Amino acid sequence: MKVIRLMIVAVGGQGNLLATKVLGEAALLAGIPFRMSEIHGMAQRGGVVESAMIFGDAKSSLISDGEADILAGFEPLETLRALGKCNKKTVVITNSAPIPPFAAAVGWSAYPGPEDLQIQILDMAGSLNSFDATTLAIEAGNVMAVNMVILGALAGTDLLPVSAENIRETIRNKTRKNFIDVNLKAFDLGFKQ
């Protein structure tokens, strides 16, 4: 099987680790070799959280610069910061709704405009699917379901060796019972993107 390298980046609190856990469990459910690693950078204070996932037979759980097949971002500036992992074939899926960092929120620095972000991403990657996952998460019933919306968009690409049904089953089995319906709705809304 072809090795697929997926990088997910988010701001702390956006559910990157749950999304990674769901994808990993779905891969194991499908019998697909899976490796992962995580980096938490001041996540409790809104810092970056990165997850590297390798589907298939690989010797490392790390993704070197330029090696990512897919980059998924739950926040557009974090997607921009991870572009070093991309190459001209990388598929980028990103939430277009920003969470400005403290310096931008208080006016000490400027947050890049959406057109600038798209130009920079497409300069480094092969393709871009940018959409407002935050609005879809709210439509599903909880703004915290951005992670499930992005998982749905990932599943909709057919780039992952894991089926959408395996991911849905894992969501049913591994997320809190009172969030299952919202998470599944968020996943399905993302799948249509």
Side-chain angles (χ1 to χ4, degrees):
M1 123 176 229
K2 179 185 173 193
V3 172
I4 303 291
R5 292 176 173 83
L6 165 64
M7 175 76 80
I8 295 181
V9 292
V11 172
Q14 286 192 295
N16 182 344
L17 302 182
L18 175 61
T20 302
K21 179 180 176 182
V22 167
L23 281 177
E25 294 282 343
L28 294 175
L29 183 67
I32 296 168
F34 178 79
R35 295 176 184 268
M36 60 165 282
S37 65
E38 300 167 344
I39 297 174
H40 310 220
M42 300 287 284
Q44 295 298 318
R45 294 183 173 217
V48 66
V49 180
E50 294 180 2
S51 296
M53 288 161 271
I54 316 289
F55 300 88
D57 292 321
K59 296 186 179 186
S60 172
S61 60
L62 301 177
I63 298 175
S64 298
D65 288 347
E67 274 193 338
D69 297 297
I70 309 165
L71 170 64
F74 296 177
E75 199 284 328
L77 190 56
E78 295 308 327
T79 304
L80 190 66
R81 289 179 178 154
L83 284 178
K85 300 293 183 184
C86 296
N87 60 61
K88 281 304 209 177
K89 293 181 180 177
T90 304
V91 173
V92 177
I93 298 170
T94 188
N95 183 5
S96 63
I99 300 175
F102 176 77
V106 297
W108 294 344
S109 65
Y111 192 97
E115 289 180 16
D116 289 340
L117 288 166
Q118 289 187 4
I119 289 169
Q120 290 183 57
I121 291 169
L122 287 172
D123 190 46
M124 297 284 289
S127 67
L128 170 64
N129 180 4
S130 176
F131 61 95
D132 189 343
T134 302
T135 296
L136 293 177
I138 292 168
E139 182 181 334
N142 189 332
V143 69
M144 300 302 290
V146 165
N147 56 352
M148 297 298 138
V149 173
I150 297 294
L151 281 185
L154 278 167
T157 65
D158 287 331
L159 295 171
L160 297 178
V162 180
S163 73
E165 192 47 46
N166 280 346
I167 297 172
R168 285 186 186 98
E169 184 176 343
T170 305
I171 291 170
R172 284 185 208 101
N173 295 329
K174 296 296 179 184
T175 62
R176 292 183 188 171
K177 289 184 180 178
N178 51 336
F179 293 117
I180 291 173
D181 291 341
V182 168
N183 285 340
L184 288 172
K185 184 174 180 181
F187 179 85
D188 289 339
L189 288 170
F191 190 81
K192 296 174 186 172
Q193 295 301 307

